[in-house]
Amino acid sequence: MEINDLTPAETRVWRAFATGSAVDFRAADDEDPADGGTWGPERTVRAAVLRALLLGGPREDGEVAALSLAGARVTGPLELQSATVDHPVRLRHCHFDDAPRLHAARLRELNLSESVLPGLISHAVRVDGVLRLTRARFGGMVRLGGAEITGSLYLESTQIHAPDTEGPVLQLNQAVLGADLWAPGLRAAGEMRLNGARVAGTVNLTDAVLGRPGGTALQAETLAAEADVLMRHADVRGRLELRGARIPGRLDLSHARLANPGGTALRASSCVIGELWLRQGPVVEGALNLRRAQVDVLFVEPEVVPAWVQLNDLTYTSLVPHEPAERRLPMLEKGDSYLPFIYEQLTAAYRRIGDDDAARLVQLAKQRRRRRTLPWYGRVWGHLQDVTVGYGFRPLRAGGWLLSLLALGSLAYGLHHPPPLKPQEAPDFNAVFYTLDLLLPVISFGQESAFSPAGWYQTLSYVLIITGWILATTVLTGLTRTVSRQ
């Protein structure tokens, strides 16, 4: 392309390129690039001119050539498919009539911050530096699937609104980032896809608004982030899909709103996560799926937990904040079936911090939940165990029953002494010790063997012997558990 073929605006850009000088066509710092369709030829640059510059523009010895342009209207598609561009590309505050096409290109640096574009086609692009789309506004799909960026990808306050787009509006599947995905305040009206992406740093989606009601707002299956995934104060309308993700740091959903009524709001099944924070936000609208996940620290507040929770094979080392068992147990009741494992996990978490009383309550709740799965005779026996001894986790209750039976037997046999077997050899009858002889399976006071009740009193003695065996064993077990803890 000859310089004689250029407009005055293009000539200015052409001459500045050789020295890397910035060209700024803006009349004011606060003007809106969305109005760029009305800008005249004095600030209009053809995309073909920019392409010619990047692929074979002028050079000056001792200078670093760069395309640095602000406040321009770029007409025509910027076609750089499979091209290698060794110069920084900075097109800030610009208005693009057509979506740039950078498929499989190799760039040194790309900055489209504060610009307005109808889309971006740059899958499999390689950027040997950073890619900045800060506060850019897109009216169509942003395709960065398979991109390789040695630095960070910046999407702070970027807006993507593509109502006519089929499929994800932001594609980052299989992308590889050498640093961070920095996108606080991102607004995406449609699906954001991060399947299989590899991020060497942090994924920051703090204050992001991701909306695809009834569908998947963030698809991030098998995402691998080497640090944290931050979604504090995020507003996610639709499914948050993180199945198989690997996050050694923190998945922080503090203050976040997760809403997918009638479906799954958060699916983090089969994940490996250092810390999962779900706190200080509204109740999750939709199901919470943590099946088969492995979490070191599970920071979940009971107030945030939704009505439907799937915890099959979820493992965690510690559960914070420390809450009484009565506040944690409802979460275990929100699944679709009885799962002994989830009760064992909660029991282990309480025992690790030395709260044995809470651990016993969880075990008691486990037995009660199991009882509902039994046939009627099993449920009857379970109710009897629960009322009498609390399934062995309420030994003091067993002691109370022993005292009650002692009082009953003492009264009954005190009013009607059983006849002695050998009157000449029998000791004086004592109703209290005779009842103790019936109740206590090991200790003998010589009363039971010396007297023989008849009729109803004999039946009462059999009942006392059987219940005494059960209750005394329960009390002994409870005392043994207490001594072993100390």
Side-chain angles (χ1 to χ4, degrees):
M1 180 172 288
E2 299 294 335
I3 194 169
N4 295 331
D5 299 328
L6 305 179
T7 66
E10 293 169 346
T11 300
R12 181 179 171 187
V13 174
W14 190 278
R15 288 174 175 167
F17 175 81
T19 59
S21 302
V23 176
D24 192 344
F25 289 116
R26 291 179 294 168
D29 291 339
D30 60 350
E31 68 178 16
D32 190 353
D35 300 326
T38 63
W39 293 343
E42 71 282 356
R43 53 192 306 184
T44 299
V45 179
R46 289 170 291 169
V49 175
L50 302 182
R51 181 178 186 275
L53 271 176
L54 295 173
L55 298 182
R59 307 286 191 276
E60 285 192 17
D61 293 339
E63 300 289 347
V64 178
L67 176 59
S68 182
L69 177 60
R73 176 185 180 184
V74 180
T75 59
L78 180 57
E79 304 274 2
L80 291 172
Q81 298 99 316
S82 303
T84 298
V85 179
D86 294 326
H87 318 291
V89 180
R90 307 182 186 105
L91 299 169
R92 301 176 63 244
H93 300 280
C94 292
H95 178 97
F96 288 78
D97 288 353
D98 296 278
R101 299 179 180 274
L102 312 177
H103 168 62
R106 181 162 186 168
L107 309 173
R108 178 66 56 84
E109 174 193 343
L110 179 60
N111 188 342
L112 300 174
S113 298
E114 289 93 18
S115 293
V116 174
L117 308 94
L120 180 62
I121 303 172
S122 51
H123 46 287
V125 69
R126 177 178 175 86
V127 180
D128 296 323
V130 299
L131 173 55
R132 294 185 182 273
L133 303 175
T134 302
R135 291 182 293 279
R137 284 171 282 174
F138 294 92
M141 181 185 298
V142 177
R143 300 178 61 180
L144 287 165
E148 293 185 35
I149 303 171
T150 61
S152 296
L153 170 58
Y154 293 96
L155 291 163
E156 308 105 299
S157 302
T158 300
Q159 299 179 32
I160 306 173
H161 182 70
D164 299 327
T165 298
E166 294 184 5
V169 297
L170 176 55
Q171 294 184 4
L172 281 164
N173 43 297
Q174 309 302 325
V176 178
L177 307 185
D180 301 323
L181 171 54
W182 204 256
L186 172 68
R187 302 290 190 269
E191 180 183 334
M192 176 180 178
R193 182 167 294 177
L194 276 168
N195 288 351
R198 301 290 182 266
V199 181
T202 295
V203 176
N204 188 345
L205 290 167
T206 300
D207 293 311
V209 177
L210 308 177
R212 196 186 175 205
T216 300
L218 175 58
Q219 183 88 17
E221 295 188 28
T222 66
L223 166 70
E226 296 299 325
D228 302 322
V229 174
L230 307 178
M231 298 187 70
R232 295 188 294 259
H233 299 278
D235 188 352
V236 182
R237 309 297 179 92
R239 178 195 291 247
L240 177 53
E241 178 63 71
L242 291 168
R243 183 177 64 87
R246 298 292 183 268
I247 306 170
R250 178 169 26 111
L251 172 56
D252 192 348
L253 294 163
S254 302
H255 308 278
R257 178 179 182 181
L258 306 180
N260 190 28
T264 299
L266 170 61
R267 184 185 183 190
S269 59
S270 303
C271 289
V272 178
I273 302 173
E275 300 180 18
L276 172 56
W277 290 23
L278 191 60
R279 65 189 188 100
Q280 296 184 359
V283 177
V284 175
E285 300 176 48
L288 175 62
N289 185 344
L290 299 177
R291 294 186 300 174
R292 300 181 300 278
Q294 300 177 37
V295 183
D296 288 337
V297 179
L298 187 59
F299 194 155
V300 176
E301 294 181 343
E303 296 84 1
V304 181
V305 178
W308 188 258
V309 179
Q310 294 175 290
L311 303 174
N312 318 33
D313 298 319
L314 166 67
T315 60
Y316 49 88
T317 303
S318 60
L319 180 62
V320 292
H322 178 64
E323 296 276 1
E326 294 84 354
R327 283 175 52 78
R328 291 293 186 190
L329 284 170
M331 182 172 70
L332 308 188
E333 302 285 336
K334 294 177 179 181
D336 55 355
S337 60
Y338 166 63
L339 300 170
F341 180 78
I342 63 177
Y343 289 91
E344 295 301 327
Q345 278 289 295
L346 184 56
T347 299
Y350 277 123
R351 284 177 176 163
R352 273 191 288 269
I353 61 175
D355 194 343
D356 292 315
D357 291 336
R360 283 196 300 274
L361 285 175
V362 175
Q363 286 295 301
L364 179 58
K366 172 188 171 184
Q367 295 298 328
R368 289 171 174 169
R369 181 73 185 274
R370 176 180 174 272
R371 185 172 68 209
R372 284 182 259 168
T373 67
L374 301 176
W376 68 268
Y377 49 85
R379 293 196 297 272
V380 171
W381 175 242
H383 278 292
L384 181 60
Q385 287 182 295
D386 195 356
V387 170
T388 55
V389 297
Y391 284 100
F393 296 102
R394 299 280 177 83
L396 292 180
R397 183 182 293 180
W401 280 105
L402 278 173
L403 291 175
S404 300
L405 292 173
L406 176 62
L408 175 64
S410 299
L411 178 62
Y413 293 116
L415 294 175
H416 188 281
H417 293 192
L421 293 174
K422 297 179 180 181
Q424 296 80 11
E425 301 177 8
D428 294 336
F429 179 77
N430 187 301
V432 174
F433 284 96
Y434 178 75
T435 305
L436 284 173
D437 255 353
L438 297 174
L439 287 172
L440 300 180
V442 178
I443 301 175
S444 175
F445 296 100
Q447 293 282 316
E448 179 187 2
S449 59
F451 297 91
S452 177
W456 181 88
Y457 294 96
Q458 186 177 29
T459 303
L460 176 61
S461 69
Y462 296 154
V463 172
L464 291 175
I465 291 172
I466 294 172
T467 56
W469 270 97
I470 297 174
L471 295 174
T473 303
T474 302
V475 172
L476 182 62
T477 302
L479 291 174
T480 303
R481 187 184 295 115
T482 301
V483 171
S484 65
R485 289 199 307 272
Q486 295 174 349

